[in-house]
Amino acid sequence: MKKKEMSMLSLFLMGGALFAMHFGASSMIWPMTWGKESGSSVLIAYVGVFLTALLLPLLAYVALSRGKGTFLSVTTRAMPKFGQFFCGATIMILGPLYVIPRMSAASWDAIVQITGLQVDSMIPIVLFSCVYYVLTYWFVSSRSQMVDKISNILFPVLVLIVLGVIVKGLITPVSTWTAATYDKPAIVYGFTEGYATGDLLCGLVFGIIILNGLKEKGVSESNLNNMVIKVGIIGIGMLCMTHLGHMVVGSFVGDTLDLQYAALYTQVVLQLWGRMGGIFFSIALVFASLTTAIGLTAATAEYFEEATNGKLPYKKGTFWVLLGSTVIGSIGLDSIVAFFAPLLDAFYPGAIVITLYYSFMPDCLNPRKLNAMRFGVIVSFFAGMLDVLYTYNSLFGLNIQMYNDFYNMIPLTAYKLSWVPIAIVFMLIGYFTYRSEGSTKQEMNMISAENN
């Protein structure tokens, strides 16, 4: 029998699983560095982080609820062909090309640092990646049990260890506050740094896992969308508290540690809890990255099954995703981040447009308004590609000065926000140029995409 509501405990545990999937290696480690670099401006910087790394992911669940669908269906509803490319490329970056292999590589780096291993060949990291993704497969192989496994096994361990770091760091801070180390407004720093976690994109693809989890719990179809938002509020609410806690702890590091990210977090834990604390930190980081790898593997496999109309079933999808992640993960964290991280800049703006549109636009299924969204997403993608090309121009040593000069002439590129005014202008163009002639075909495409 279908239920309209879930118990508070079941909601909390599902929200805890969602928190764990979002927490990952980046959301665990990076906030402490943001706090260190912000110093006495930490609370202002947190506001910027909140907007991009926390509020936007929460709105992703609101968008899926109001759009009444998955990431694929709400996107292809307005742009069947480009939407399939946009969603497919996004999934590949979040999946086997970047984010999933980044999880195993970050875990390996933490183990090497805390144990002091001297590694001269790729064999150890390859073996570690194989074991890591075999364990991941155990969690995702049964989609009906995956969320329960995370909430019952991984979530409690993460909460205990993270609370130990934050509480001890607040009671006995490492040092004292210093001035911010950057020359931009603190809120702008937090806003742009919040992009890096990729949690908005994760929110859009995790939605299908939460929907399936709720269905497994017996929630009725009529109540699914409301329950998705409730689970999202619980999960992202927990993430808000851990981000704030880690940033404040990091803000008290001052200039005593000239480190960043995993190295900084490791050293802070060692100073707070000693060698045993460092071991527990390594366990926590492996568990944190594992939950994100589990969530993204399942979401990627669910996407492939949906996009291929069942031709690539869930279990086969998980196998291929994990095989690809094992290969990419073996090249090491620095190489993964250097080569693949810039690609997020191309897809994040369009994802923001989709999220804000479905979250706030009245009558969001109106064809004229969907046409406006279509214009906004497509132009945002190409604006984001300008940032990607600028990064690769430097990364690969091309240094094409003509392109650099062109890029620097575009307003707001310093903050990677040049897409914002461009998207607004083109969304207005898309809205006002929508005409009844020819619109029938477009509406049929939207309906066809929705049915598929």
Side-chain angles (χ1 to χ4, degrees), residues 349-370:
I352 292 176
V353 172
I354 293 169
T355 299
L356 295 181
Y357 172 84
Y358 279 109
S359 295
F360 298 111
M361 180 64 71
D363 189 20
C364 60
L365 303 184
N366 179 282
R368 177 185 290 272
K369 295 178 180 179
L370 284 169

Side-chain angles (χ1 to χ4, degrees), residues 155-165:
F155 170 59
V157 177
L158 283 178
V159 169
L160 288 174
I161 294 177
V162 168
L163 278 177
V165 173

Side-chain angles (χ1 to χ4, degrees), residues 29 32-33 36 110 113-114 165 174 249 253 256-275 277-279 281-282:
I29 290 172
M32 193 170 287
T33 295
K36 174 184 177 294
Q113 184 177 358
I114 205 69
V165 173
V174 174
V249 170
V253 169
T256 59
L257 298 173
D258 187 21
L259 299 169
Q260 288 184 315
Y261 306 119
L264 173 65
Y265 201 116
T266 303
Q267 195 58 43
V268 168
V269 172
L270 287 172
Q271 290 200 21
L272 293 175
W273 288 102
R275 176 61 60 178
I279 293 172
F281 158 70
S282 296

Side-chain angles (χ1 to χ4, degrees), residues 303-363:
Y303 170 83
F304 285 143
E305 185 174 77
E306 180 184 9
T308 62
N309 292 318
K311 293 178 182 177
L312 182 59
Y314 175 82
K315 276 201 171 183
K316 284 187 178 180
T318 59
F319 172 79
W320 289 112
V321 169
L322 293 176
L323 180 61
S325 299
T326 302
V327 173
I328 299 295
S330 298
I331 70 175
L333 183 62
D334 291 341
S335 298
I336 293 170
V337 172
F339 289 110
F340 296 108
L343 292 174
L344 284 176
D345 292 335
F347 296 93
Y348 225 88
I352 292 176
V353 172
I354 293 169
T355 299
L356 295 181
Y357 172 84
Y358 279 109
S359 295
F360 298 111
M361 180 64 71
D363 189 20

